[in-house]
Amino acid sequence: MEEKTNWWKKATIYQIYPRSFQDSNGDGIGDLPGIIQRLDYLALLGIDAIWLSPVYPSPNEDNGYDISDYEAIGEEYGTMEDMDRLILEAKKRNIKIIMDLVVNHTSSMHPWFQAAKQDVNSKYHDFYVWRKGHAQEPPNALTSNFGGSAWTFVPELNKYYFHLHAKEQPDLNWENPTLRKEIYRMMNYWIQKGIGGFRLDVIDLIGKEPDALITKNGPKLHTFLQEMNQHTFGPYDLVTVGETWGATPEIAQLYSDVQRKELSMVFQFEHINLDKQPGKRKWDLKKLDPQELHQVFAKWQIELANKGWNSLFWNNHDLPRIISRWGNDREYRVVSGKMLAIYLFFLQGTPYVYQGEEIGMINYPIHSIDEVDDIESRRMYAQRLKEGYAKEDIIASINAKGRDNARHPMQWDASKQAGFTTGTPWLAVGDASEINVEAALKDSNSLFYTYQKLIKLRKELPILIEGSFQTFPTSHANVLAYTRSYGNTEILVVVNFSSQEATFALSQTPYTIKEVYIHNYDKEINDTLLPYEAYAVRVK
Ligand code: NOJ
């Protein structure tokens, strides 16, 4: 069994943020029938699975990451019939559906929490984390990821409940075995529907021990995951990817070592955190150092080789668009987007593409907080205003790092609402005059076709799945190079991570080029690298 390569090792997974992907009924919110309409496009791109951000009923304090019913579909997204049809239609195109599993917390409107809050004797009370206390004095100093205390007082009960996100997202108490059983039952409900796996939201928080001030990587975390594996997806050929902001390579091995029977892989964020000042919040920027980035990737490649599995990603719905962040969203938009994709796709692991990444969508600059939907940015804005920051500085932080950057609607064509909706979009549509799917498909040189090619190469070249990784030294701070080797085959990947020309003295390496897999300029490969030039070649 273990010998055969799992499907998800060769696969590329595409993330859909349903609210912003395709509206089919003119209400300005993307929906499941809209996704079904676009499946042929995704099949053309060549992806193997869709990670669907939450489509469950939700009061949407945190856009679906506050679920009020795990076994239904939110009205704005459609019906359970639509969901079944999506699974079926995707399957016809060899695409699997990966559900977002948000089980560190529920919405405060979930019937469990409603019952828990109403009656301390209800079996649901202990589904959440409560501590006795007085109104002005939370049990301890733990804070929520969206700012403020992690404890909210319920005067009727004289108790606080715990929430690592908004107060509308009470944390579940994983110590309670009945709760765990309910979660596993619910997961099996989805597995029976024929889904392809789960993405597990902030899963490293479920082992929390608030009294000991432990939130991430709690002592029982891995025991819970092993139990979950055994009671749910274990026997099936599903992919599971945990969101783990607190993972080091050692911890990622615990999750993804096949022998331990936990998850397929985790999202780690060490590369993502490199442009923030150490010890500060993500808003406090530091200039990205490409060498540092390369070292972080190298560390993860080497430490998980044969001992786990990497996920490979630049973007998701919580991160600003990578081209605006570490690429160049003006004159080198396409070429820098290709460079980033080439660098990532030749590494070992499973690549993830976030909607719009494949056409090079960029950040959406705002001028006032009224343009912002995201709860995290709004909370930060209010807090920093109180702390005396200048408005313009806070807006600049939101433009650089705010989560809405990636949440503006998908740009399908150059029409008024970019083909996303016929109504008024829930969040403004960016400038789609040049950046849109229709234009990308017409241009054989577009970023879309680079992604299509990379996705295909991952299926054709076993070396990309199995081969070992080594960094290759360069004499230029912005030039990054690595090799992959497998049997007698060796691949060299070289990228120029800047808008300046640079040199990589290929002629002085032991290598000669045997085959060019991909190159983002239409020119010969020589010792001079143009801005953001990138190539991957088979060498001897
Ligand atoms: C991570 C999700 O990706 C993010 O969007 C959400 O706000 C938090 N988890 C809380 O569920």
Side-chain angles (χ1 to χ4, degrees):
M1 259 300 265
E2 234 74 280
E3 291 307 310
K4 90 173 204 307
T5 304
N6 302 88
W7 64 268
W8 42 264
K9 291 196 169 172
K10 290 188 193 169
T12 298
I13 299 177
Y14 187 91
Q15 183 191 353
I16 289 185
Y17 195 67
R19 256 190 133 56
S20 296
F21 192 62
Q22 177 67 64
D23 177 20
S24 73
N25 61 1
D27 68 355
I29 301 176
D31 47 42
L32 296 176
I35 298 176
I36 296 171
Q37 287 169 18
R38 295 298 185 178
L39 284 173
D40 286 335
Y41 165 73
L42 297 175
L44 181 68
L45 180 58
I47 54 125
D48 302 271
I50 294 169
W51 151 25
L52 202 58
S53 275
V55 288
Y56 316 92
S58 163
N60 286 313
E61 292 293 336
D62 188 17
N63 284 350
Y65 285 90
D66 47 327
I67 298 172
S68 53
D69 184 348
Y70 287 112
E71 292 173 42
I73 299 298
E75 243 180 332
E76 67 270 48
Y77 297 120
T79 61
M80 194 55 91
E81 286 72 50
D82 293 327
M83 186 71 217
D84 292 335
R85 203 154 56 83
L86 172 62
I87 295 172
L88 193 81
E89 288 298 320
K91 193 166 175 203
K92 285 188 194 157
R93 295 161 176 87
N94 290 321
I95 295 173
K96 297 174 200 282
I97 301 293
I98 298 168
M99 295 303 277
D100 213 316
L101 188 73
V102 187
V103 290
N104 173 66
H105 46 267
T106 65
S107 158
S108 53
M109 296 309 284
H110 193 290
W112 295 346
F113 189 72
Q114 291 293 309
K117 213 172 95 169
Q118 212 141 70
D119 180 2
V120 288
N121 296 315
S122 140
K123 78 163 185 182
Y124 297 111
H125 188 71
D126 190 50
F127 274 25
Y128 296 87
V129 181
W130 300 92
R131 295 294 179 265
K132 289 225 160 65
H134 308 286
Q136 299 310 327
E137 209 185 317
N140 60 38
L142 284 175
T143 54
S144 130
N145 287 341
F146 295 150
S149 172
W151 298 98
T152 289
F153 191 60
V154 180
E156 305 88 88
L157 303 182
N158 245 325
K159 277 181 165 182
Y160 281 88
Y161 67 88
F162 186 67
H163 53 89
L164 282 165
H165 296 85
K167 68 175 192 323
E168 294 83 0
Q169 294 166 297
D171 273 42
L172 286 166
N173 173 22
W174 274 74
E175 298 286 338
N176 181 310
T178 318
L179 176 262
R180 298 205 301 276
K181 240 170 107 184
E182 266 299 307
I183 301 277
Y184 304 152
R185 196 197 50 72
M186 172 274 282
M187 291 173 70
N188 285 322
Y189 165 84
W190 285 104
I191 291 173
Q192 291 316 315
K193 278 194 177 287
I195 61 161
F198 295 104
R199 175 264 187 187
L200 299 91
D201 188 68
V202 288
I203 202 67
D204 56 349
L205 303 181
I206 64 170
K208 66 203 146 244
E209 292 202 346
D211 301 318
L213 304 182
I214 295 173
T215 54
K216 291 188 183 109
N217 301 315
K220 292 206 197 124
L221 167 63
H222 295 281
T223 316
F224 291 152
L225 285 176
Q226 282 162 10
E227 183 187 79
M228 176 193 280
N229 178 308
Q230 202 187 340
H231 287 87
T232 62
F233 48 80
Y236 306 99
D237 193 14
L238 299 185
V239 67
T240 50
V241 50
E243 186 201 22
T244 61
W245 284 82
T248 59
E250 296 72 39
I251 295 174
Q253 279 178 26
L254 299 179
Y255 289 110
S256 65
D257 173 355
V258 220
Q259 310 298 332
R260 291 175 50 87
K261 298 193 177 6
E262 294 187 20
L263 304 177
S264 314
M265 67 192 107
V266 293
F267 291 125
Q268 60 84 14
F269 292 87
E270 197 175 343
H271 62 299
I272 292 298
N273 281 329
L274 289 175
D275 66 352
K276 99 178 169 56
Q277 296 170 37
K280 290 274 186 68
R281 293 190 65 193
K282 70 177 193 182
W283 312 105
D284 303 299
L285 293 180
K286 164 176 150 294
K287 194 170 175 291
L288 181 75
D289 172 357
Q291 287 299 328
E292 208 184 351
L293 183 77
H294 199 43
Q295 277 156 24
V296 166
F297 272 113
K299 178 170 82 180
W300 281 85
Q301 287 291 297
I302 290 162
E303 296 203 20
L304 288 197
N306 307 316
K307 295 188 212 128
W309 190 251
N310 272 291
S311 63
L312 307 171
F313 70 98
W314 288 124
N315 290 284
N316 68 34
H317 65 293
D318 294 329
L319 306 174
R321 293 282 182 183
I322 198 65
I323 289 182
S324 296
R325 189 175 181 189
W326 294 338
N328 177 303
D329 61 8
R330 296 164 305 275
E331 66 269 43
Y332 298 118
R333 182 180 66 85
V334 172
V335 89
S336 70
K338 290 180 179 175
M339 179 279 286
L340 289 159
I342 292 169
Y343 181 85
L344 198 74
F345 267 73
F346 276 80
L347 295 171
Q348 189 175 46
T350 300
Y352 290 76
V353 178
Y354 177 69
Q355 66 183 45
E357 174 179 341
E358 77 281 15
I359 54 165
M361 281 178 64
I362 60 177
N363 280 357
Y364 181 103
I366 52 126
H367 304 97
S368 132
I369 192 67
D370 303 335
E371 295 174 78
V372 177
D373 169 82
D374 172 29
I375 181 170
E376 183 192 44
S377 293
R378 284 189 283 111
R379 296 275 166 96
M380 182 281 281
Y381 183 86
Q383 175 136 6
R384 291 205 161 181
L385 265 190
K386 264 198 240 152
E387 290 166 11
Y389 283 74
K391 256 188 200 166
E392 311 75 73
D393 293 345
I394 315 179
I395 296 288
S397 298
I398 294 175
N399 281 333
K401 292 299 263 306
R403 304 196 298 180
D404 277 356
N405 277 310
R407 298 179 179 185
H408 290 273
M410 180 72 181
Q411 294 166 191
W412 296 103
D413 58 41
S415 67
K416 185 151 173 271
Q417 304 298 1
F420 164 67
T421 181
T422 53
T424 309
W426 73 279
L427 192 66
V429 170
D431 178 2
S433 54
E434 278 176 33
I435 309 175
N436 65 70
V437 168
E438 201 178 78
L441 293 180
K442 275 194 206 134
D443 172 7
S444 61
N445 221 352
S446 72
L447 188 53
F448 175 90
Y449 292 109
T450 294
Y451 273 90
Q452 187 191 51
K453 172 121 198 242
L454 289 168
I455 292 168
K456 192 157 165 262
L457 284 173
R458 295 205 52 103
K459 299 206 171 66
E460 291 170 355
L461 303 176
I463 181 172
L464 294 188
I465 314 307
E466 309 290 348
S468 64
F469 167 96
Q470 264 193 309
T471 54
F472 191 85
T474 73
S475 52
H476 198 293
N478 292 327
V479 177
L480 312 180
Y482 65 84
T483 59
R484 299 288 309 273
S485 329
Y486 187 53
N488 295 326
T489 313
E490 189 155 19
I491 291 178
L492 173 70
V493 179
V494 179
V495 310
N496 175 8
F497 220 99
S498 90
S499 53
Q500 313 299 315
E501 277 192 17
T503 45
F504 176 76
L506 182 66
S507 56
Q508 275 153 55
T509 67
Y511 297 130
T512 49
I513 296 177
K514 292 290 161 199
E515 185 180 355
V516 178
Y517 290 122
I518 198 153
H519 181 199
N520 63 351
Y521 275 94
D522 191 13
K523 76 167 200 27
E524 276 224 341
I525 293 173
N526 54 34
D527 290 359
T528 300
L529 295 173
L530 296 178
Y532 299 106
E533 185 168 348
Y535 56 82
V537 291
R538 187 162 60 79
V539 287
K540 261 271 169 328

